[in-house]
Amino acid sequence: MNLLGDVARWFADPAHYRGSDAVQTRILEHLEVSGLAVLVGILVALPVGLYLGHTGRFAFVAVNVANIGRAIPSLAAIALAIPIAGTLLGVEHGLGFWPTFFALIPLAIPPILTNAYVAVRGVDRDVIEAARGMGVSEAGILRRIELPLALPLILAGIRTAAVNVIATATLGALVAFGGLGRYIVDGLALQEFDRLFAGALLVALLAIAVEVALRTFERAAVSPGIRVRQGAL
Amino acid sequence: MTPGEPLIRWDWIASHLDEFAFRLGEHVELTVIAVGVGFVMAFALSLLILRLPRAEGPITWITGTLYTIPSLALFALLIPYTGLTILTAEIGLVGYTLLIFINNIVRGIRGVPADVREAAVGMGYTPREVLWRVELPLAAAVIIAGIRVATVSTIGLVTVTALIGQGGFGFLILIGLQRFFTTELIAGAVLSVALAVVADALLVLLQRRLTPWAEVA
């Protein structure tokens, strides 16, 4: 089997860098839908997670959201988003970008929410009591003490969400979205292994690259004094 | 969804109970093999890490990278070598369990208080006895927490293997998707989530049985 040679030829073929099916177009589509979904996930889940963690109320919400999130099969999320997107947009079958986007949001929320909750809950109570004794307001405690101390775990949650979302965005190709999944799904359907393999390599590399980039950002953003090595899954 | 077609056709559900049972069997089989093989492999790798701390870096790096690769991509990368077979599905599924298991086994055993371990050694336990009779029982709660996470996420991932001709309930989701038949699609999704919830509940019961002294989180 000369698969690697075929794949190398596939990547060398200038035809694969032109038009709507070009590699760079597919990468941008993949990043666009993933980035927007993670952004919405952060906007929804981070404030809720921080609030729940700060007040310590509704712990069961934070814990159960994580468990439910893990149980949702990504394939089902994408598939079920078709009728939902269709209803929301007022068309018969919502296909393409919207069902992919809608399906990714609920997958982004659980790790962000749960990690934010656990991280803020885990901040040393003595530190918070000391700040309270010094007259720091509740908002000040959240912003100046809990948030910096919780940051490594919060960022780990966002990283987990980003990797999950990039993985699932691959399945968007099944509902007529573009992205890198297009090569895999089409390659599978047409039995073209060079295309299939190229798509799989590209999406694997993209996921790893995003993970590495977020880790680098984490190193820059977190105070050296409070770095933790192991993030929560 | 043709116009006038209801979201769920209950008569179709009633007439396909046999198929649901068959897909349940497939789904459970794929999950049990993945979690079982993954646990055995992760257990061996965890013991290696505990004995040889230098191995921790490479092992967590490799399993972490494996965990990062999107599932469809991992299955697709294996197809040219192992084809549309259960082996392809299982290699991928096992790969995703390793990081979760190793994390929890190593963390659980390292979390055993040092004086407990010393007391056991002082009572004349061999290293093997310390592992099986002191460390593993005390780490059981953390290890079972890892089994819960791995089982629930594997049940979700099994649906994706429908794209390579396996899939259990994922088969219903995929066929429902291709035909725009929401009844079949929703049935597959709901059954998959229900299986995950039931499996998780059973593992909680197992944890209570095995570690009656521990507070269940």
Side-chain angles (χ1 to χ4, degrees), chain A residues 71-105:
Chain A
I72 300 175
S74 48
L75 185 60
I78 291 272
L80 285 173
I82 294 181
I84 295 170
T87 309
L88 288 178
L89 302 174
V91 293
E92 199 180 317
H93 303 308
L95 284 177
F97 174 84
W98 291 105
T100 312
F101 176 66
F102 287 141
L104 295 178
I105 294 170

Side-chain angles (χ1 to χ4, degrees), chain B residues 133-147:
Chain B
R133 294 172 61 181
V134 178
E135 289 176 329
L136 283 178
L138 287 177
V142 180
I143 294 174
I144 294 175
I147 298 177

Side-chain angles (χ1 to χ4, degrees), chain A residues 1 3-4 30 63 67-68 70-80 82-83 87 92-93 95 160 163-164 166-168 170-171 174-175 181 184-185 188 191 193 196-201 203-205 207-209 211 230-231 233, chain B residues 1-3 7 56 60 65 67-74 76-81 84 99-100 103-104 148-149 152-153 155-157 159-160 162-164 170-171 173-174 177-178 180 182 185-186 188-189 192-193 196-197 200 217:
Chain A
M1 184 164 11
L3 184 66
L4 287 180
H30 207 105
V63 174
N67 285 336
I68 294 166
R70 248 182 245 122
I72 300 175
S74 48
L75 185 60
I78 291 272
L80 285 173
I82 294 181
T87 309
E92 199 180 317
H93 303 308
L95 284 177
T160 306
V163 171
N164 284 352
I166 288 174
T168 309
T170 315
L171 300 173
L174 293 170
V175 295
I184 302 180
V185 170
L188 205 53
Q191 296 282 302
F193 284 134
L196 171 79
F197 212 81
L201 265 181
V203 73
L205 289 176
I208 294 169
E211 157 98 14
Q230 289 280 322
L233 276 172
Chain B
M1 271 203 300
T2 44
L7 201 60
E56 181 166 11
T60 48
T65 306
Y67 194 78
T68 307
I69 298 175
S71 54
L72 183 55
L74 187 55
L77 287 170
L78 292 166
I79 285 175
Y81 305 101
L84 297 173
L99 181 68
I100 301 169
N103 234 339
N104 281 268
R148 285 174 61 192
V149 175
V152 170
S153 62
I155 289 173
L157 279 171
T159 60
V160 178
L163 291 161
I164 57 166
F171 183 83
I173 300 174
L174 189 64
L177 184 62
Q178 284 167 357
F180 281 121
T182 46
L185 197 163
I186 291 172
S192 175
V193 172
V197 171
D200 196 47

